[in-house]
Amino acid sequence: PEEEEKIVGGAGSELVLSYTPGSYSLENDAADLTTQYIRLDPASGAVTPLFSRPYTDEFLGCADGKAYLLDGAGVLRSYDLQSGAPAAELQTDLPAEVLEGTPSWQLGIWDGKALISHTLSTDAESSESADATSSAAYCSIDLATGQSTRLPHVYTSEYDNQQPCTVLGQTDTQLLITSGWQSITVAYPGSGTDKIDSVSASVSTYALMGKEDFWAGRSASLPITNARS
């Protein structure tokens, strides 16, 4: 096992892993670190080195036999998951505001588009405040053209920060997404004979959205409700 080994995707029956030597040391600058990508056969344990990229590159996901990454200048790169060779390099049209934000979510690849969410920068005065909030730039990137689209599908979390409506699954025509959050209270037997205790928690809410509506930025979703009485 290597330091900070992570499963980041799949290639047929094999797993794609990444690890970044030195990433846990506070003495190292992130800009000086390199992430290694490998392929692991779970059946035999055989490991195949694939490629390496700067630690600061954003890993977008694996699709159609390729791994996709985005660098800080908005360049989209893909690598073949069998040979590890570079497959393509494409300049996206992501605006500077988004590229200067902080990558906060790895949201996967759906319908030939990578989803990213960057937390946008705030001024120093507001970012140091206990009441500071953040906004999310939720974007899709067409893997064939590099064209990006800013998506409006975000919600405000319990901490007043914007979060993306992440995609969790799909059918031929619809996407399953997170749509927000709600607070619930669950009762359970306490320590006394007739005592009832309770605990409160915040949980995600979910919805179905047509693919055409999602990619076009139309907020037309069908909430999934709890049918229990």
Side-chain angles (χ1 to χ4, degrees):
E2 300 288 350
E3 184 177 4
E4 201 192 40
E5 206 169 66
K6 300 177 182 177
I7 299 174
V8 296
S13 62
E14 298 181 314
L15 299 175
V16 178
L17 309 179
S18 73
Y19 62 95
T20 308
S23 60
Y24 285 136
S25 174
L26 297 179
E27 297 179 355
N28 296 326
D29 190 313
D32 298 328
L33 299 177
T34 299
T35 299
Q36 308 288 335
Y37 292 87
I38 61 176
R39 202 175 68 243
L40 170 68
D41 184 341
S44 66
V47 172
T48 304
L50 291 175
F51 60 93
S52 61
R53 285 299 302 166
Y55 176 65
T56 50
D57 276 15
E58 183 178 359
F59 183 82
L60 302 179
C62 298
D64 300 323
K66 298 181 180 65
Y68 292 86
L69 298 95
L70 181 72
D71 72 12
V75 176
L76 176 68
R77 291 182 175 86
S78 60
Y79 291 83
D80 186 274
L81 288 176
Q82 290 303 312
S83 66
E89 184 175 309
L90 192 62
Q91 178 66 54
T92 69
D93 62 358
L94 286 164
E97 178 190 35
V98 174
L99 293 173
E100 292 170 1
T102 303
S104 51
W105 296 83
Q106 179 186 325
L107 301 175
I109 295 171
W110 307 86
D111 293 340
K113 301 178 181 66
L115 291 174
I116 65 169
S117 180
H118 285 197
T119 301
L120 300 186
S121 302
T122 57
D123 59 73
E125 182 178 351
S126 63
S127 63
E128 292 175 358
S129 168
D131 298 324
T133 60
S134 65
S135 59
Y138 192 19
C139 301
S140 67
I141 305 171
D142 189 302
L143 298 179
T145 65
Q147 180 179 357
S148 66
T149 301
R150 181 81 173 264
L151 299 172
H153 312 308
V154 297
Y155 63 90
T156 302
S157 75
E158 59 185 306
Y159 303 109
D160 292 328
N161 295 320
Q162 284 189 342
Q163 303 288 350
C165 296
T166 56
V167 178
L168 304 174
Q170 65 179 330
T171 66
D172 289 340
T173 59
Q174 293 181 306
L175 296 173
L176 171 64
I177 63 171
T178 56
S179 57
W181 67 280
Q182 64 180 353
S183 180
I184 63 171
T185 300
V186 178
Y188 62 94
S191 56
T193 304
D194 300 320
K195 182 176 175 58
I196 299 296
D197 288 335
S198 64
V199 61
S200 296
S202 297
V203 297
S204 296
T205 57
Y206 304 93
L208 291 173
M209 183 178 289
K211 288 185 175 182
E212 290 186 4
D213 290 329
F214 184 89
W215 298 121
R218 294 190 290 266
S219 298
S221 62
L222 176 66
I224 297 176
T225 58
N226 187 343
R228 293 181 300 177
S229 59

